[in-house]
Amino acid sequence: MSFGAGVPTVEVGDLADGDFLLDVREDDEWEAGHADRALHIPMSEFVARFGELTEAAPQDGKVHVICRSGGRSAQVTMYLAQQGIDAVNVDGGMQAWAATGRPVVDDKGQPGFVA
């Protein structure tokens, strides 16, 4: 799935365990299931909460942006690049994450699902 020639992407299989992951899905999607180590800032609140990302993201590292299928995360990735942040869109989003067998947990830390 492609969301424009200017958006850098990465496949789920190419992510390492320690890579910084930003989940931009809405609260109900997050609560149903997410990657355990991800930072959650919904796209609808992203600009207002941008400081949370800059505090949490590694200073010299890459921000891997994920949503359900890759559309919203592509938009946030483009925004981050415009702000001078090294960001990539996770191709296929949480659907691809779950399909490759990566763990998905709910908001209580129990097994979750991609809504």
Side-chain angles (χ1 to χ4, degrees):
M1 193 174 294
S2 177
F3 291 96
V7 180
T9 62
V10 64
E11 300 291 325
V12 169
D14 293 332
L15 293 173
D17 285 341
D19 286 343
F20 184 82
L21 192 63
L22 170 66
D23 190 323
V24 297
R25 296 174 302 144
E26 295 304 313
D27 289 338
D28 60 328
E29 297 171 286
W30 170 265
E31 291 164 3
H34 57 271
D36 189 39
R37 68 181 191 276
L39 171 65
H40 179 230
I41 303 176
M43 183 175 167
S44 62
E45 302 171 15
F46 191 75
V47 174
R49 295 177 57 189
F50 182 73
E52 292 177 42
L53 171 66
T54 58
E55 288 179 19
Q59 295 303 309
D60 296 324
K62 192 176 299 282
V63 175
H64 301 82
V65 188
I66 197 166
C67 66
R68 185 172 189 266
S69 62
R72 290 171 285 178
S73 54
Q75 293 176 52
V76 172
T77 298
M78 290 184 345
Y79 174 80
L80 291 173
Q82 291 169 350
Q83 306 308 310
I85 294 174
D86 186 9
V88 293
N89 184 36
V90 178
D91 194 34
M94 284 300 297
Q95 290 177 324
W97 179 277
T100 61
R102 298 254 180 151
V104 177
V105 297
D106 67 14
D107 62 336
K108 295 175 179 56
Q110 300 300 312
F113 63 95
V114 177

